[in-house]
Amino acid sequence: MNGLRAFGILAGLTAAAIWGGMYVVSKVVLEYVSPFTLLTLRLVLGALALGIVLLFRRGTLGPGKGRWTVVGVGVIGFGVSVGLQFVGTSLSSAAHAALITSASPAFILLFGILLLGEPATVPRVAALVVATLGVIAVLNPGGAELGGGSLRGNLALLGASVTWGLYSVLVKQVSRDRTTTEVSLLAFLGGLVVSLPMAAVEGSGLPAQTATAPVLAGILYLGLVSTALAMYLWNRSLAILDAGLVSILFFAQPVVGVALGALILGESLGATFWLGAGLIATGLVLSAVSSGARGRPRSSELQRRPSDQGGQTS
């Protein structure tokens, strides 16, 4: 495994792990801030962070051609998908949110086949099935209290899963001619196209009880860590690896979420957690091996891809 490929896998795993803590944080913050208001705060903080990075690197947003395409991809990924995720999380239970959004890898694989022409090989499909079984074991739906979830919330979470799969594939396409920082920043701006008017419709503003240390810390986590950092890493992973392999990396999210539930909420980790973690690790290895040389960028492709260490390359 070469260094670039290893970095792509590490970046995707780190992003998914960061999002594993997002459900606990967002569930708490959504008690005080309405979904699209929170999404707007998250995207503004993320955009400011990446804008500062670009400023210090003396980079630009690159050529104007295709810029609106990236913004449009951001509308899908952040305006629609993350918006639906916040709405669904606020209406449904945490168990529903973790379980339903874990379907995203299947849609990433599906759209990778339909839009990118990636092969639906037996090892790749087998890796997805094994990892999916691992997620089911980790989440242990038979022991979860799923009856209290709202139908509207569950449908919103399913919509978030489908649109996140579509975003993950589309962002891979638009990352070919721009740096990851540029793509992430433009995508955040696309999300604001949806979140700003929706936040205005919500019209609740920020209640006085929002200004508490835990809530403010949660907003900063969602905006800077879960959005700016994690989305940069996720988009970077998609720029390097096949969408099929990245889809398996996403399974780290529910594992970390369950583990944090044990650490923060005192929930116990049973045998199903360790069984599921093992299955997910097996799926990851199968996917990485099956992708093989296909996930390794050719030298000509690396020469065409913009460097992410500064501005747009010539």
Side-chain angles (χ1 to χ4, degrees):
M1 183 182 297
N2 63 22
L4 183 62
R5 183 173 170 76
F7 173 77
I9 292 176
L10 179 61
L13 283 174
T14 302
I18 290 173
W19 290 330
M22 185 177 62
Y23 287 105
V24 176
V25 175
S26 62
K27 189 65 177 176
V28 172
V29 177
L30 284 168
E31 295 291 329
Y32 302 92
V33 185
S34 54
F36 282 97
T37 299
L38 178 59
L39 177 57
T40 299
L41 291 171
R42 178 181 176 182
L43 292 175
V44 168
L45 286 170
L48 286 174
L50 292 187
I52 292 172
V53 170
L54 276 178
L55 179 64
F56 276 92
R57 287 179 175 175
R58 298 180 180 178
T60 68
L61 286 176
K65 183 179 179 181
R67 187 177 295 173
W68 288 107
T69 301
V70 185
V71 172
V73 171
V75 169
I76 296 172
F78 292 99
V80 177
S81 184
V82 181
L84 287 173
Q85 177 189 305
F86 276 3
V87 170
T89 302
S90 67
L91 294 176
S92 189
S93 66
H96 274 91
L99 183 61
I100 296 174
T101 55
S102 292
S104 290
F107 295 111
I108 295 175
L109 179 62
L110 175 63
F111 287 119
I113 294 170
L114 295 177
L115 301 181
L116 300 180
E118 295 184 354
T121 62
V122 173
R124 177 171 292 176
V125 174
L128 184 65
V129 171
V130 170
T132 300
L133 292 175
V135 169
I136 293 174
V138 168
L139 296 175
N140 191 17
E145 297 180 2
L146 298 178
S150 157
L151 176 61
R152 289 184 302 159
N154 294 339
L155 290 176
L157 291 167
L158 178 60
S161 295
V162 176
T163 48
W164 188 256
L166 178 58
Y167 164 80
S168 294
V169 171
L170 291 177
V171 82
K172 180 175 178 63
Q173 290 182 314
V174 300
S175 296
R176 292 169 180 167
D177 301 317
R178 293 180 182 274
T179 68
T180 305
T181 305
E182 294 168 3
V183 169
S184 301
L185 176 56
L186 288 170
F188 294 165
L189 297 179
L192 287 170
V193 172
V194 176
S195 70
L196 281 171
M198 291 300 294
V201 170
E202 287 175 338
S204 58
L206 294 178
Q209 60 266 36
T210 298
T212 63
V215 174
L216 291 177
I219 293 174
L220 289 175
Y221 174 86
L222 292 172
L224 299 179
V225 180
S226 180
T227 301
L229 176 59
M231 281 312 309
Y232 170 85
L233 293 173
W234 184 253
N235 291 345
R236 188 65 178 147
S237 182
L238 283 163
I240 296 172
L241 306 172
D242 280 356
L245 174 54
V246 179
S247 69
I248 303 298
L249 303 179
F250 189 85
F251 283 121
Q253 173 178 303
V255 175
V256 173
V258 172
L260 288 178
L263 292 174
I264 298 175
L265 304 178
E267 299 173 349
S268 61
L269 295 179
T272 56
F273 174 83
W274 300 111
L275 171 63
L279 288 171
I280 291 170
T282 302
L284 174 59
V285 172
L286 284 174
S287 183
V289 171
S290 67
S291 295
R294 180 175 296 276
R296 185 180 300 119
R298 297 182 294 272
S299 58
S300 58
E301 182 182 350
L302 289 175
Q303 291 172 359
R304 291 194 303 270
R305 182 176 295 161
S307 168
D308 207 47
Q309 299 303 314
Q312 186 81 11
T313 57
S314 55

